[in-house]
Amino acid sequence: MSVNADRIGDTFQNLAEKVQDALTGDTRAQLEVKARRVAGQARDAYGEVVEQAADAATAVGKGVEQQPLIALLIAGAVGYALGKLLHPR
């Protein structure tokens, strides 16, 4: 190869490396943006779940206060069913 061919080859190699670095940087930035977006969505979903769980606990508490006998019967039935599932004989 001649000197000019070597220089052209080196130039193309450098250009290819710069393009690859640019693409890698863009991909990394895009992934970081997506990761932040997913983290934000997960944080929002967690907040909603916590809020719904608190609402459900409040509703159950009110139901137990209003009808304690039924609550005891349900708790006993659940306990019996769990006992049968965990220790079948």
Side-chain angles (χ1 to χ4, degrees):
M1 273 192 177
S2 68
V3 174
N4 286 338
D6 288 338
R7 289 180 74 192
I8 291 173
D10 289 342
T11 302
F12 277 112
Q13 182 65 31
N14 289 339
L15 180 61
E17 290 173 2
K18 288 180 182 179
V19 168
Q20 185 178 8
D21 288 344
L23 288 176
T24 302
D26 287 346
T27 301
R28 186 174 296 141
Q30 290 171 352
L31 289 174
E32 287 176 1
V33 168
K34 287 181 182 179
R36 286 189 186 109
R37 188 177 307 138
V38 168
Q41 290 172 345
R43 194 172 27 254
D44 292 344
Y46 174 76
E48 289 178 23
V49 167
V50 167
E51 195 174 303
Q52 289 177 0
D55 292 345
T58 301
V60 168
K62 287 181 182 178
V64 170
E65 285 177 6
Q66 292 173 355
Q67 298 178 353
L69 182 59
I70 292 176
L72 283 173
L73 292 174
I74 291 172
V78 168
Y80 180 78
L82 285 174
K84 284 292 190 181
L85 286 173
L86 295 175
H87 299 288
R89 290 185 186 184

